[in-house]
């Protein structure tokens, strides 16, 4: 293994391809997930029309806090934030197609990025059970599936 010291960007890049189960009640009330409007009549655990990019802070201690792309841009720069969003969605969409062809759903995942000089790179684990939720198609808990 080759290890290099890089500058870690203080954000986690979460991509969600399926309705966020744990946030169902709050989403039902607001009609949004992480500030993003969602279609009406969605079910918890249902595939979203388009994956959502929902960044969070990368807390040194305590819990990471949700943020929107504008806040992320203020923290790390608009150009880097836009690039990270595009790369996160591209990686997720590629991996999701590969996984579903093998009978696995990637419900959501997170990526971390850093800078090696001026070069943007993925750091930390990627698409592992610790950084992603994997489901088996048809195995979604229908007791949780509540219409909004």
């Amino acid at each position: 293994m080759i290890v290099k010291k890089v500058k870690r960007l203080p954000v986690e890049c979460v991509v969600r391809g399926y309705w966020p189960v744990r946030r169902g009640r709050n989403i039902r009330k607001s009609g949004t997930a992480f500030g993003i409007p969602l279609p009406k009549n969605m079910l918890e655990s249902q595939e979203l029309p388009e994956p959502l990019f929902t960044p969070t802070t990368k807390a040194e201690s305590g819990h990471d806090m949700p943020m929107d792309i504008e806040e992320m841009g203020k923290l790390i720069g608009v150009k880097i934030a836009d690039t990270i969003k595009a790369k996160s969605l591209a990686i997720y969409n590629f991996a999701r197609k590969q996984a579903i062809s093998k009978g696995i759903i990637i419900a959501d995942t997170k990526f971390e990025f850093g800078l090696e000089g001026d070069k943007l790179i993925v750091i930390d684990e990627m698409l592992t059970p610790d950084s992603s939720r994997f489901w088996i198609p048809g195995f979604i808990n229908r007791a949780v599936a509540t219409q909004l």
Side-chain angles (χ1 to χ4, degrees), residues 2-48:
I2 298 173
V3 179
K4 294 181 181 181
K5 184 132 175 113
V6 299
K7 178 185 175 193
R8 179 181 57 84
L9 296 174
V11 295
E12 288 197 350
C13 301
V14 181
V15 180
R16 302 171 191 279
Y18 288 75
W19 183 264
V21 175
R22 292 184 193 155
R23 300 182 182 271
R25 289 187 192 136
N26 294 336
I27 293 169
R28 260 194 301 284
K29 289 179 185 176
S30 69
T32 64
F34 312 96
I36 302 166
L38 293 173
K40 295 184 186 291
N41 301 323
M42 294 238 5
L43 300 177
E44 292 178 7
S45 303
Q46 183 177 348
E47 185 174 9
L48 295 162

Side-chain angles (χ1 to χ4, degrees), residues 57-70:
T57 60
K58 179 69 176 164
E60 293 297 327
S61 63
H63 295 287
D64 299 333
M65 299 301 296
M67 61 181 8
D68 60 29
I69 190 72
E70 289 79 23

